[in-house]
Amino acid sequence: MSKRTGHTYSSSEPILLQSVGGTSKASRYYDPDAARISQKIDEELRRDWARIKDAERKQVKVMLLGQAESGKSTLQKQFQLYYAHQALEHARPLWRPVVYFNIIKAVRMILDELDHELANIASDDSTEGQAVAHALAPLGDVSADVSQLRSKLVALISIEDSLASELSGGVSVTGGRTGVRAVPATGGPSPGVAHVTNLAARTLNSTQDEVDELWKHPAVRILVDNRRIRLDESASFFLDSVKRVAQPDYLPSTADLLNRHAWVPYFDDATAIIFLAPISAFDQYLEEDARTNRVDDSLQLFTAICSNKLLKNSHLVLLLNKTDLLKKKLEAGIKVRKYITSYGDRPNTFADVSEYFRAHFIQVHRRNDIGRRALYAHFTSMLDIRATQAIIVNVGEAIIRSHIARTGLA
């Protein structure tokens, strides 16, 4: 193509417009001020991006995983106790309605199950059923006692639905026979929650003797001890403390807060994963699948985590949790081999049982972990604050040291 004097290219050719930030001064559209501003913006964006990436590199994110009621939110509270005590103090009043809800629901469940068991125990010809019937026989006819207690507790039980309804607006609540799971709302309670909480507090205060009498009734103790009445683990804790909780100036204690359960959100860029396995649940089955043992379910979940490629760069911490409950069950004579046949004839002692479960989880890690990570494994009881926080510190320091070395922050 011919070229015209004084022009680089023919005027008939398309002119390629350079961006405002271009450095070529040959373009008649070049504006030095605009170019300077554009370059300054680009540099600020690059610095901002670098700061964001550097901040992400320095963050230590921990993901809590485990099946329902494995102790996740209890461990979350332990972290709060250690790292954010003031925030936990601020949240204490928000847990009052949740504690009341647990007690009221437990009372209702005990009365319902008590009626059912007393009406049907005579026709239960199983070995266990006959043993329970034999234990109840010396008590005689307790139906009159139960009926009298029910009439005195009607006002308290009637609050359950309204309390649950109000909590669902300010607190995330799900029911089911395994108990309420709740997370307190930020800020303060709504007027509706405050009203029904005060109503529950007054009613519990006036019926605390009846609640205590029901919980300590010989028939209830026999049925609970023989697992004919099944309650959420936190229900027993709160019923044992009903006199304290029923006081007008009640404020949830640290132990009360550590008896709650909630799911923690999943995020895939976690620095560390803490997996909680409730080894006390060897005699329990999933609510949604009565054929699946809860310890077996924990092993399956742990297998999935170890083999998940998206999580291979996260440090792995295994907390074999609820050892206090495991000890109580073993001391009560509950046999592991009855629920886990592979346990065989091993001694039914805490040392042997706990080591058996620990070995199984370690074997899952060795066979399935694609990241070839070290496994930090500990036996824990979330209610033992001092021991748990010592574990948090030790594991936390190890993870942070490894994180610093990996990311080059040292």
Side-chain angles (χ1 to χ4, degrees), residues 111-299:
L111 288 170
D112 289 348
E113 294 293 337
L114 194 55
D115 287 342
H116 174 78
E117 289 296 329
L118 292 178
N120 294 279
I121 193 67
S123 60
D124 187 347
D125 56 0
S126 67
T127 302
E128 292 180 0
Q130 291 301 308
V132 172
H134 180 74
L136 289 171
L139 302 180
D141 186 3
V142 298
S143 58
D145 292 346
V146 175
S147 178
Q148 186 176 27
L149 285 172
R150 180 185 290 277
S151 65
K152 292 180 179 180
L153 292 169
V154 166
L156 182 67
I157 297 171
S158 66
I159 300 174
E160 181 183 6
D161 289 341
S162 57
L163 184 58
S165 177
E166 290 296 337
L167 283 176
S168 64
V171 177
S172 175
V173 176
T174 60
R177 294 178 62 82
T178 57
V180 64
R181 304 178 182 88
V183 181
T186 56
S190 67
V193 172
H195 172 73
V196 75
T197 298
N198 291 333
L199 176 61
R202 292 194 302 270
T203 309
L204 181 61
N205 179 262
S206 65
T207 59
Q208 57 179 295
D209 291 337
E210 287 74 21
V211 173
D212 191 53
E213 183 182 351
L214 175 67
W215 179 232
K216 294 178 179 177
H217 194 284
V220 173
R221 303 316 311 160
I222 290 171
L223 293 172
V224 169
D225 291 343
N226 285 275
R227 306 185 63 76
R228 309 291 289 205
I229 294 180
R230 295 175 180 265
L231 300 171
D232 178 47
E233 289 164 352
S234 62
S236 298
F237 174 85
F238 289 125
L239 288 170
D240 284 338
S241 307
V242 68
K243 294 284 189 178
R244 172 177 61 85
V245 174
Q247 295 307 303
D249 59 349
Y250 167 69
L251 191 66
S253 67
T254 297
D256 294 340
L257 297 181
L258 294 178
N259 269 276
R260 295 309 326 122
H261 307 279
W263 282 102
V264 179
Y266 173 92
F267 52 98
D268 60 3
D269 57 345
T271 304
I273 297 170
I274 298 179
F275 184 83
L276 291 102
I279 56 177
S280 64
F282 68 87
D283 60 340
Q284 296 173 259
Y285 297 84
L286 298 182
E287 184 176 356
E288 62 272 24
D289 182 3
R291 296 172 299 177
T292 302
N293 183 281
R294 286 190 60 189
V295 171
D296 287 338
D297 182 62
S298 285
L299 284 166

Side-chain angles (χ1 to χ4, degrees), residues 67-75 178 231-234 258-261 276-282 284 294 319-330 350 354 357 378-384 388:
Q67 62 184 200
E69 299 184 16
S70 61
K72 296 182 298 299
S73 69
T74 305
L75 180 59
T178 57
L231 300 171
D232 178 47
E233 289 164 352
S234 62
L258 294 178
N259 269 276
R260 295 309 326 122
H261 307 279
L276 291 102
I279 56 177
S280 64
F282 68 87
Q284 296 173 259
R294 286 190 60 189
L319 299 185
L320 299 166
N321 197 25
K322 301 193 176 183
T323 55
D324 54 330
L325 294 177
L326 174 62
K327 290 177 181 177
K328 288 181 179 180
K329 288 183 178 181
L330 297 177
F350 174 77
S354 59
F357 289 136
H378 296 272
F379 292 108
T380 54
S381 167
M382 292 295 110
L383 299 184
D384 188 338
T388 301

Side-chain angles (χ1 to χ4, degrees), residues 12-29:
S12 63
E13 292 182 326
I15 298 174
L16 301 178
L17 299 179
Q18 296 184 1
S19 65
V20 174
T23 57
S24 173
K25 297 181 181 180
S27 170
R28 56 177 168 163
Y29 295 100

